[in-house]
Amino acid sequence: MQKKDRKQSITLKDIAREAGVSVGTASNAINRQDIVSSDLRMRVEKVIEKLGYHPSALARSIKKNRTLAIGLIIPKIKNAFYVQIIDAVEKLVKSHGYTLILGNSDDDLDTELRYLRTFAAMRIDGLILATVGRKDPQRIERELNTYEALGIPVVLIVRGIDQAMHDTIVLDNENGVYRATTYALDLGHRHIAIISSAAHTSASKERIDGYLRAMRERHYPCDQKMIRVDMASPENGYFTAKELLDAENRPTLLLVATSSLLIDCLRAIHDLGLRIPDDLSLICFDDPDWSPYLNPSLTAIRPDTEDLCSVAVRFLLERIENADAFSTRTYVVKSELIVRASVKSLIC
Amino acid sequence: MQKKDRKQSITLKDIAREAGVSVGTASNAINRQDIVSSDLRMRVEKVIEKLGYHPSALARSIKKNRTLAIGLIIPKIKNAFYVQIIDAVEKLVKSHGYTLILGNSDDDLDTELRYLRTFAAMRIDGLILATVGRKDPQRIERELNTYEALGIPVVLIVRGIDQAMHDTIVLDNENGVYRATTYALDLGHRHIAIISSAAHTSASKERIDGYLRAMRERHYPCDQKMIRVDMASPENGYFTAKELLDAENRPTLLLVATSSLLIDCLRAIHDLGLRIPDDLSLICFDDPDWSPYLNPSLTAIRPDTEDLCSVAVRFLLERIENADAFSTRTYVVKSELIVRASVKSLIC
DNA sequence: AACTATAATTGAAACGTTTCATGATTGATT
DNA sequence: AATCAATCATGAAACGTTTCAATTATAGTT
């Protein structure tokens, strides 16, 4: 089936003709009210009302070389962490007169690249990118070069890219997990496992590093079997968790590295009939809004998303205003350990 | 601070000049490969690669009178139900070559209206709208008339609007709650309360109607105090729930009408020290993906979001292809009662 | 009355594409 | 040789705006 040509709409030319002025004047009557007689302005407004004129942002953008649109690409909308980010970023950009264009790459590099291309073609004024990761850094770099060529600023969040050519906001993954691990050690846990996804992201590596640093500093051995990296295919976290928890020497505490893995892990725990925290203690990196209402409520490492987003948007808008005023910046967002009830103390 | 003029980019004219052809030909070499000699096509492609040409979707859209963008406006992204919808709709439109433009009105009518205007200005090819409701139907109607005038089809989802001028996909609110209520009655519950938000939406009314119908059919009295309508201001659900559950004759079962209220209710239940299901049974309309991992797992009414989205997108695309081929359609999405562990049987 | 300064309007070019009627080039067919 | 088709490329108009130099009208000053 063919798309029918869309009904053609009222244009500025129609307004001008009906009001008996030139089209340039009609434009001025709308946008530059200071420069036009109030008499004329009212006349044009009447005609606009009468004919039902709705200006085209396309034509406007092409002339003004700005779209007032900002792109946000995230890896997984089903992850509550990114929902918080979408919500916060949207409010922020809206308050500055921009529209948010969302891309959900669904943990798929090709989808991400496709959004990168589409958004560049759309000539968004700026991009906030949480990339799916480093499976194929060159391909992402290549798209980002397009942004460079088009003069569209890019801010990376959550996950950086090696060459520090862009402003980047990252979480303190290492430190967050480090503190969670020492907290667990302080409560007497020794068999601590960590399950993480997507080995190719630096976040994953950093979180594991935080775990390792805590264990090493306290001189506890780290069994490699306690470190599991899930391959980010759907459902896979479930099997990884199940295997880990069904093994002979089950850990006493499980660190879950992302809230999307959390659901898989909970399902595995549930299916194995394990009780939290008696059979297994649990800490999650990232604190979805329902975590207090799990039973028991969930001890979690909560990154300061508000801060993350406001810095990201600020950086981006600064670049949009004045692209070259700053050298590349990096900002690390603090996280906080929220102690609830999912970790059992093992000291007598 | 003023926005600096963006670096001006390579245009088709540059390609044409460098390749020694006319700009029309360059365009053909890119888009109409059948009509151009393969020799020329390769030459142009080389130049494109060399100069780094990135076509402007703005200019293209203005000529072709289509943007390949579809708008989706939802009332609350923090509501897991709408996250599912975003995810599903995005995948569907993407598979048809469209880009999704998301607007989160955050339960605010003005924000919704603003998105309606912005999206119309952007000349999206179609709109899927879950409106915040009927606080001020005329104002929404007015914006929708703009879409009519511009020939942009609109499909309403989840929440309809009185005059049936648009295709509409709704949930079977009444029936879903009806079945949940009879299920509760069958298990011996008599003091059943329902808490709902946003009295101005028809969904809210229908859900309460389903509750009432079940009670009446079975000839049980409905205490008006058992029907609470929350005013949709943030945190408010918490107080409404708390008041309801702290009263003298506390219900034995609570029907929660939306998953965003659910979090507030859980907090109230938690704060009052009530245990589910022993002190209070719970059923929620809408089934977020974490509901199986609440403890106890949550009995819920789950609408078939996949179906909702695929029908909505299908209706919309059909209208885009051929706006007038159909008269206004309405589709009701089925829902299913997922029985888990949050309802206690009261029969001996 | 002549001049000037200010204010209001015009007209055309420009933004980066697509499209289409026209023209040019080639090869095959009589 | 002349005609016809088929294939390729051209150039200009169009899409709906904004912008800006140029023009005209208006009022103010001497």
Side-chain angles (χ1 to χ4, degrees):
Chain A
M1 222 186 318
Q2 279 296 320
K3 177 180 190 300
K4 291 275 189 296
D5 268 1
R6 187 148 69 204
K7 184 190 309 190
Q8 84 161 48
S9 52
I10 302 293
T11 136
L12 207 45
K13 208 190 297 179
D14 302 315
I15 301 300
R17 183 176 345 97
E18 180 80 9
V21 298
S22 82
V23 32
T25 307
S27 173
N28 285 337
I30 294 169
N31 307 308
R32 315 257 341 249
Q33 311 205 341
D34 50 319
I35 229 163
V36 123
S37 74
S38 66
D39 162 34
L40 172 67
R41 177 171 53 73
M42 280 168 44
R43 188 150 44 100
V44 169
E45 272 167 5
K46 281 237 176 61
V47 176
I48 286 177
E49 190 61 31
K50 176 176 156 209
L51 264 50
Y53 168 67
H54 304 283
S56 160
L58 294 175
R60 162 177 267 253
S61 290
I62 209 180
K63 271 302 292 182
K64 307 195 76 158
N65 202 22
R66 64 181 336 205
T67 51
L68 292 179
I70 282 182
L72 171 64
I73 300 181
I74 52 146
K76 193 100 193 153
I77 196 178
K78 287 206 171 161
N79 183 328
F81 173 68
Y82 289 109
V83 171
Q84 285 181 266
I85 290 192
I86 297 169
D87 194 46
V89 168
E90 186 192 36
K91 286 192 177 53
L92 287 165
V93 303
K94 193 181 72 172
S95 76
H96 290 270
Y98 289 85
T99 301
L100 186 75
I101 315 278
L102 179 71
N104 169 30
S105 45
D106 211 40
D107 274 336
D108 177 62
L109 178 61
D110 288 317
T111 307
E112 174 173 321
L113 294 169
R114 185 177 148 177
Y115 273 118
L116 283 168
R117 277 189 290 270
T118 307
F119 287 5
M122 287 181 150
R123 300 293 195 265
I124 55 174
D125 287 338
L127 175 70
I128 298 179
L129 171 63
T131 173
V132 295
R134 50 180 58 187
K135 290 175 212 175
D136 204 342
Q138 301 98 303
R139 293 180 66 197
I140 296 180
E141 283 292 347
R142 191 154 178 281
E143 296 304 328
L144 291 185
N145 286 338
T146 302
Y147 283 79
E148 178 68 21
L150 293 171
I152 303 174
V154 175
V155 171
L156 300 172
I157 60 172
V158 186
R159 303 171 178 185
I161 286 186
D162 289 338
Q163 301 88 322
M165 292 178 38
H166 302 97
D167 290 342
T168 304
I169 329 273
V170 287
L171 308 181
D172 63 342
N173 294 301
E174 207 270 353
N175 207 249
V177 174
Y178 171 81
R179 279 173 314 172
T181 311
T182 57
Y183 167 77
L185 290 169
D186 287 344
L187 289 180
H189 288 271
R190 297 296 175 262
H191 277 62
I192 302 176
I194 181 166
I195 179 168
S196 173
S197 67
H200 39 78
T201 71
S202 55
S204 165
K205 183 174 177 311
E206 290 161 15
R207 289 176 197 181
I208 293 172
D209 285 348
Y211 162 82
L212 290 173
R213 177 159 68 96
M215 297 299 275
R216 290 203 183 116
E217 274 186 18
R218 304 281 183 103
H219 304 295
Y220 294 113
C222 330
D223 183 352
Q224 280 302 319
K225 288 207 174 132
M226 292 287 114
I227 302 175
R228 298 293 174 115
V229 172
D230 170 57
M231 279 313 139
S233 62
E235 298 283 304
N236 197 4
Y238 171 74
F239 296 107
T240 310
K242 204 160 178 181
E243 191 202 325
L244 172 68
L245 298 175
D246 210 12
E248 193 138 327
N249 57 344
R250 169 156 44 80
T252 59
L253 184 141
L254 177 62
L255 282 163
V256 181
T258 82
S259 62
S260 52
L261 267 180
L262 178 61
I263 291 187
D264 288 343
C265 289
L266 286 172
R267 193 151 64 88
I269 291 166
H270 186 260
D271 286 3
L272 291 171
L274 300 175
R275 290 159 18 118
I276 303 175
D278 292 324
D279 301 326
L280 180 72
S281 293
L282 199 62
I283 302 181
C284 181
F285 195 110
D286 177 6
D287 186 33
D289 52 2
W290 41 271
S291 61
Y293 311 105
L294 286 175
N295 198 338
S297 63
L298 186 71
T299 293
I301 304 157
R302 169 162 53 190
D304 189 342
T305 14
E306 290 294 329
D307 190 40
L308 164 62
C309 295
S310 74
V311 173
V313 171
R314 182 163 61 76
F315 279 10
L316 187 64
L317 293 179
E318 285 171 358
R319 295 264 174 215
I320 291 176
E321 305 291 354
N322 199 340
D324 305 315
F326 313 91
S327 54
T328 306
R329 294 166 288 187
T330 299
Y331 182 92
V332 179
V333 174
K334 292 220 181 63
S335 61
E336 187 186 1
L337 181 68
I338 311 284
V339 173
R340 297 201 189 89
S342 64
V343 177
K344 185 182 182 182
S345 170
L346 297 185
I347 13 189
C348 5
Chain B
M1 224 187 310
Q2 282 294 319
K3 176 178 190 302
K4 291 277 190 294
D5 268 0
R6 188 149 66 204
K7 183 190 311 191
Q8 85 163 45
S9 48
I10 301 292
T11 136
L12 207 47
K13 209 189 300 180
D14 302 315
I15 301 300
R17 184 177 343 97
E18 181 80 9
V21 297
S22 81
V23 33
T25 306
S27 172
N28 284 336
I30 294 169
N31 307 309
R32 318 261 336 255
Q33 311 207 341
D34 49 320
I35 228 160
V36 121
S37 74
S38 66
D39 162 34
L40 172 67
R41 178 171 53 74
M42 279 168 45
R43 187 151 44 103
V44 169
E45 270 167 6
K46 281 238 175 60
V47 176
I48 287 178
E49 190 60 33
K50 175 177 158 206
L51 263 53
Y53 168 66
H54 304 283
S56 160
L58 294 175
R60 161 179 268 252
S61 291
I62 210 180
K63 271 301 293 182
K64 305 196 75 158
N65 202 24
R66 65 182 336 208
T67 50
L68 293 179
I70 283 183
L72 171 64
I73 300 182
I74 52 145
K76 193 99 193 156
I77 195 176
K78 288 206 171 164
N79 184 327
F81 172 69
Y82 289 109
V83 171
Q84 286 180 266
I85 290 193
I86 298 168
D87 194 46
V89 168
E90 187 192 35
K91 285 191 179 53
L92 286 165
V93 304
K94 194 181 71 172
S95 76
H96 289 270
Y98 289 86
T99 301
L100 186 74
I101 315 277
L102 179 72
N104 168 29
S105 44
D106 212 41
D107 274 336
D108 177 61
L109 178 61
D110 288 317
T111 307
E112 174 173 322
L113 294 169
R114 185 176 149 180
Y115 273 119
L116 283 168
R117 277 189 290 271
T118 307
F119 288 4
M122 286 181 152
R123 299 294 194 265
I124 54 173
D125 287 338
L127 175 71
I128 298 179
L129 171 63
T131 173
V132 296
R134 50 181 57 186
K135 287 176 211 172
D136 204 343
Q138 302 98 302
R139 294 180 65 198
I140 296 179
E141 283 293 346
R142 191 154 177 282
E143 296 302 330
L144 290 185
N145 286 340
T146 302
Y147 284 79
E148 178 68 21
L150 293 172
I152 303 175
V154 176
V155 170
L156 300 172
I157 60 172
V158 186
R159 302 173 179 184
I161 285 186
D162 288 340
Q163 301 89 321
M165 292 178 37
H166 303 95
D167 289 341
T168 304
I169 329 275
V170 287
L171 308 181
D172 63 342
N173 295 300
E174 206 268 354
N175 206 249
V177 174
Y178 171 81
R179 279 175 313 175
T181 311
T182 56
Y183 167 76
L185 290 168
D186 287 344
L187 290 180
H189 289 271
R190 295 298 174 260
H191 276 64
I192 301 176
I194 180 166
I195 179 168
S196 173
S197 67
H200 38 78
T201 70
S202 55
S204 166
K205 183 173 176 311
E206 290 162 15
R207 290 177 196 181
I208 292 172
D209 285 348
Y211 163 82
L212 290 173
R213 177 159 69 94
M215 297 299 275
R216 289 202 184 115
E217 274 186 15
R218 305 280 183 103
H219 305 294
Y220 294 113
C222 333
D223 184 351
Q224 280 302 318
K225 286 205 173 135
M226 292 287 116
I227 301 174
R228 299 294 175 114
V229 172
D230 170 56
M231 279 313 138
S233 62
E235 299 283 304
N236 198 4
Y238 171 75
F239 297 107
T240 310
K242 203 160 180 180
E243 192 201 324
L244 172 69
L245 298 175
D246 211 12
E248 194 137 328
N249 58 343
R250 169 156 45 81
T252 59
L253 184 141
L254 177 62
L255 281 163
V256 181
T258 82
S259 62
S260 51
L261 268 179
L262 178 61
I263 289 187
D264 289 343
C265 290
L266 286 172
R267 192 151 64 90
I269 291 165
H270 185 260
D271 286 2
L272 291 170
L274 300 175
R275 288 158 20 118
I276 302 174
D278 292 324
D279 302 326
L280 179 73
S281 293
L282 199 62
I283 302 181
C284 181
F285 195 110
D286 175 8
D287 185 33
D289 53 2
W290 41 272
S291 60
Y293 311 105
L294 287 174
N295 198 335
S297 62
L298 186 70
T299 293
I301 304 157
R302 170 162 52 187
D304 188 343
T305 16
E306 291 293 330
D307 191 38
L308 165 62
C309 295
S310 75
V311 173
V313 170
R314 181 162 62 77
F315 279 10
L316 187 64
L317 293 180
E318 285 171 357
R319 295 262 174 217
I320 291 177
E321 305 290 354
N322 199 341
D324 306 314
F326 312 92
S327 55
T328 306
R329 293 167 288 187
T330 298
Y331 182 92
V332 180
V333 174
K334 292 221 180 63
S335 61
E336 187 185 0
L337 181 68
I338 310 284
V339 174
R340 296 200 190 89
S342 65
V343 177
K344 185 183 181 183
S345 170
L346 298 185
I347 16 188
C348 2

